Amino acid sequence: MAHRIIDGCVNCWACEPLCPNQAIQAATPHFLIDPAKCNDCDGHYADPQCASICPIEGVILDGNGQAVNPPGSLTGIPPDQWATAMSEIRAR
Amino acid sequence: MTQLVSNSGTTAASGLCSSSGCPTSSSSNRGADRLAHLPEAIRARIHNHPCFSEEAHHHYARMHVAVAPACNIQCHYCNRKYDCSNESRPGVVSELLTPEQAIQKTLAVAAAIPQMSVLGIAGPGDPLANPERTLATFRGLSEKAPDIKLCLSTNGLALPGLVDEICRHNIEHVTITINCVDPEIGARIYPWIFWNNRRITGIKAARILIEQQQKGLEMLVERGVLVKINSVLIPGVNDRHLREVSRVVKAKGAFLHNLMPLIAEPEHGTFFGLMGQRSPTAAELQTLQNDCADGMAVMRHCRQCRADAVGMLGEDRCAEFTLDKIGAMEIDHDAAMQRRAETRAAIEAKRLAPPSATLVPIVTLMRRPSSATRTIRVAVASSDGQTINQHFGHAEEFFIYTADGASVRHIDTVRVGSYCSGPADCGEQSFILDDTIQALDGCAAVLCARIGIDIWGRLEAAGIMPNGEHAQERIEEAIAAVYPELTASRRLNQSDATPTRQVRHGGTR
């Protein structure tokens, strides 16, 4: 199994130097993970490195096709609390 | 175009040269005045640094190279798709350079612009989240252009582990962005960090970041590196807290605190921008700067340059130095370094020269002696900070002065969007004008070379008296000239102000 970068990646480079298997390639329109090289950081780190530094929700999928960073996980605001958070922030 | 304000406040020296009875308000002495409280050793080290010394920016140029794309934290005011919006203006992704390209570009710029004194690495991510790329650039430049000062700007997370490496490359200046010293406040600014190969969120993440920032600050100061602190003022989040931040970083030996306004617009795509977090008003920023100026130099306004900016502060010549263009340049590096040395010698000779005999103290410029002590703020449209030479609508920044009965003093510079690029689109961008008027809030008048009549009325309605009568005059002299009329009661009553003078509109490019 391998992780995968999908559309939405902003090519910020954060993941590229972290990959213990050098599986990540700079590419357009977005960076790519070579599935032949990626082993989900197994044996290297507890967490997949690319997904642990990626700043964009939803753009890295695990081997099961699930987003490692689902909506709300990086902003800290779950989608159902977005409106409440927005009104609190707008009142500042 | 940085401005430092000493804790000496409004002494008799304000607006005037403080030393040796120097009889002038010449701006060439203005910056030295505001740096006067700093120890001599620090003043000597920032003397030629356009970002730290208000006065040096008139003479010296700087550049940033974008070699560091990755970042190890998330700030709610940053969209990683673009350059960091508070360290570098957003909107256009920098041309990312390899260390080799960055060295080549720096040498090319330093050959073409002999006033180049400083090379900085500020991103577009975090320089120390990309230590190999950042340090390779510094290493190459310290070998090939040892006369160029090196500095970097960091969020501080990786700083403690790299301090010794930084010192090995003879980096004299480091800027750390510190927005808080309280993890609960930090958690509202930083949703996560990447630390020891894991993503950490919430208060725990903020606590680690703050600890690393403070440790890094202490380590740098111990090693004699000059540390500037950048803080982003975020209303409702850290606005009250930044006074405490200022106290803490000053106690630990930071020499300068740069308080910057949050940049947060929905179109930037940042969390704060999308959520409608407001930016501070000019008045809020100034109040904070005044509060924090007690006991510490406060930098009134860096230009929040892009991470690939080139040239004098306030200008950007990066388009002249794209990789294509520098690849075609033939450069004699020894001759370039010699030329820089000569340029510096000439600049320093000029800075030391006695002021022009045509300048006289501000106090004698007052048209009549005034017992008034009312302090007013006046905005000025100027491209050089010396003369009133800009069309109101073309100004991308306004110099803010205060004047009282005895002195005229430059206290701030506010950046705005120029809304007028020629007669064709005048009046169509009133939203920018609204922002400009808001930025000039609190000013009794704005002095400019020219101004459109429609804008004239809008300014007057906002209580800001436009004045185009002093075009091409020196700023301090013109403000001294208008002070009496601005402090007369009729003018202070904004409600009965009516347009009194019409000026030609547009066309001044």
Side-chain angles (χ1 to χ4, degrees):
Chain A
M1 299 302 269
H3 280 67
R4 192 153 65 94
I5 296 173
I6 63 170
D7 193 39
C9 159
V10 297
N11 295 9
C12 78
W13 287 86
C15 58
E16 191 266 352
L18 296 177
C19 179
N21 299 310
Q22 287 81 48
I24 299 173
Q25 302 154 1
T28 52
H30 57 75
F31 280 41
L32 294 171
I33 296 174
D34 181 347
K37 290 185 178 175
C38 173
N39 74 340
D40 306 326
C41 291
D42 196 21
H44 296 282
Y45 299 104
D47 301 333
Q49 295 298 283
C50 55
S52 296
I53 201 166
C54 179
I56 309 296
E57 292 172 346
V59 301
I60 297 187
L61 308 183
D62 66 16
N64 298 319
Q66 298 296 307
V68 185
N69 301 306
S73 63
L74 300 188
T75 59
I77 314 287
D80 60 344
Q81 293 174 31
W82 189 266
T84 311
M86 187 181 276
S87 60
E88 186 264 323
I89 288 171
R90 283 175 190 250
R92 287 173 184 167
Chain B
M1 214 172 277
T2 61
Q3 177 173 345
L4 309 177
V5 172
S6 77
N7 59 354
S8 57
T10 54
T11 65
S14 297
L16 304 173
C17 179
S18 62
S19 59
S20 326
C22 173
T24 179
S25 63
S26 159
S27 63
S28 64
N29 290 297
R30 193 171 56 200
D33 181 26
R34 296 213 169 97
L35 293 173
H37 74 293
L38 289 172
E40 180 56 38
I42 291 180
R43 284 165 57 197
R45 287 168 66 186
I46 62 175
H47 183 65
N48 298 348
H49 196 308
C51 304
F52 294 160
S53 164
E54 176 203 3
E55 197 256 333
H57 89 260
H58 291 296
H59 308 291
Y60 291 103
R62 57 74 180 101
M63 70 178 287
H64 296 164
V65 285
V67 295
C71 195
N72 49 9
I73 70 172
Q74 178 68 50
C75 305
H76 272 327
Y77 48 71
C78 179
N79 176 351
R80 296 294 310 289
K81 193 168 181 175
Y82 303 115
D83 294 348
C84 174
S85 62
N86 283 277
E87 294 294 353
S88 44
R89 285 204 307 268
V92 181
V93 178
S94 306
E95 183 179 42
L96 185 66
L97 305 177
T98 65
E100 296 71 30
Q101 290 168 330
I103 292 164
Q104 188 189 11
K105 179 175 176 179
T106 304
L107 293 173
V109 171
I113 305 177
Q115 300 95 330
M116 246 282 288
S117 67
V118 171
L119 180 279
I121 299 182
D126 186 78
L128 300 183
N130 304 257
E132 296 83 9
R133 297 171 64 97
T134 297
L135 293 168
T137 306
F138 285 145
R139 196 178 304 124
L141 284 171
S142 55
E143 281 169 18
K144 292 175 178 158
D147 59 319
I148 302 288
K149 292 177 193 294
L150 305 176
C151 44
L152 69 88
S153 179
T154 177
N155 63 45
L157 181 64
L159 181 57
L162 290 164
V163 162
D164 287 328
E165 184 73 12
I166 288 169
C167 291
R168 249 197 294 289
H169 295 297
N170 200 24
I171 294 163
E172 282 204 356
H173 311 89
V174 171
T175 296
I176 313 173
T177 299
I178 297 181
N179 296 319
C180 56
V181 291
D182 176 340
E184 291 194 14
I185 292 172
R188 300 168 71 196
I189 302 170
Y190 310 104
W192 57 264
I193 66 171
F194 181 78
W195 178 246
N196 288 343
N197 300 100
R198 307 196 83 148
R199 195 194 305 269
I200 314 278
T201 61
I203 290 175
K204 184 180 175 192
R207 182 175 293 116
I208 293 168
L209 177 62
I210 290 166
E211 284 170 3
Q212 291 293 102
Q213 290 171 336
Q214 296 297 319
K215 191 173 167 193
L217 166 60
E218 291 164 16
M219 292 173 76
L220 287 170
V221 170
E222 271 172 25
R223 287 158 179 76
V225 176
L226 291 180
V227 185
K228 169 165 74 73
I229 303 302
N230 279 355
S231 296
V232 180
L233 168 56
I234 309 165
V237 177
N238 67 352
D239 42 354
R240 293 161 190 264
H241 178 61
L242 283 176
R243 290 161 182 81
E244 169 71 5
V245 171
S246 207
R247 273 194 298 278
V248 169
V249 300
K250 177 208 163 198
K252 292 193 175 175
F255 85 104
L256 194 60
H257 195 186
N258 178 21
L259 292 152
M260 307 186 297
L262 172 71
I263 299 172
E265 302 294 339
E267 60 268 31
H268 297 162
T270 64
F271 176 83
F272 277 155
L274 293 171
M275 295 296 269
Q277 165 71 49
R278 73 178 177 90
S279 298
T281 65
E284 284 172 322
L285 180 65
Q286 198 194 3
T287 300
L288 178 70
Q289 288 173 332
N290 289 342
D291 290 352
C292 294
D294 182 25
M296 184 179 186
V298 170
M299 189 162 156
R300 293 276 173 165
H301 52 278
C302 88
R303 291 296 191 275
Q304 295 177 275
C305 307
R306 288 167 50 94
D308 56 358
V310 171
M312 307 293 276
L313 240 55
E315 71 172 12
D316 192 348
R317 297 174 59 181
C318 67
E320 297 171 41
F321 300 99
T322 58
L323 287 179
D324 288 351
K325 290 176 184 167
I326 61 177
M329 292 179 186
E330 298 261 337
I331 298 165
D332 179 338
H333 294 299
D334 290 338
M337 190 147 67
Q338 176 64 27
R339 188 157 159 248
R340 290 197 294 274
E342 289 165 4
T343 301
R344 277 176 207 140
I347 290 170
E348 291 311 308
K350 188 174 153 198
R351 289 171 89 178
L352 286 171
S356 158
T358 60
L359 298 176
V360 290
I362 281 296
V363 282
T364 68
L365 287 167
M366 295 295 182
R367 283 180 174 163
R368 57 178 181 270
S370 171
S371 60
T373 55
R374 182 184 166 83
T375 300
I376 57 167
R377 284 159 69 88
V378 177
V380 176
S382 169
S383 64
D384 60 5
Q386 316 228 357
T387 57
I388 298 164
N389 61 1
Q390 274 205 308
H391 186 304
F392 180 89
H394 297 168
E396 293 185 345
E397 60 188 8
F398 287 90
F399 293 83
I400 309 295
Y401 284 73
T402 58
D404 56 27
S407 67
V408 175
R409 204 163 61 99
H410 178 210
I411 58 156
D412 199 0
T413 304
V414 295
R415 291 187 299 128
V416 298
S418 64
Y419 67 88
C420 176
S421 55
D425 59 3
C426 282
E428 292 178 3
Q429 298 194 38
S430 61
F431 60 99
I432 296 179
L433 179 62
D434 288 342
D435 287 348
T436 301
I437 290 174
Q438 192 178 11
L440 302 184
D441 184 38
C443 292
V446 56
L447 307 188
C448 51
R450 287 188 183 181
I451 185 167
I453 188 62
D454 47 342
I455 310 307
W456 182 289
R458 299 276 303 279
L459 282 163
E460 272 203 335
I464 303 166
M465 191 63 205
N467 187 318
E469 296 174 26
H470 295 272
Q472 308 310 325
E473 291 182 20
R474 291 188 60 81
I475 292 171
E476 286 92 342
E477 295 171 24
I479 293 174
V482 300
Y483 178 81
E485 63 178 285
L486 288 171
T487 50
S489 58
R490 189 173 64 83
R491 285 275 180 261
L492 295 177
N493 183 352
Q494 295 164 357
S495 62
D496 68 355
T498 50
T500 54
R501 183 169 180 270
Q502 296 189 357
V503 289
R504 283 178 296 158
H505 179 216
T508 49
R509 293 298 297 168

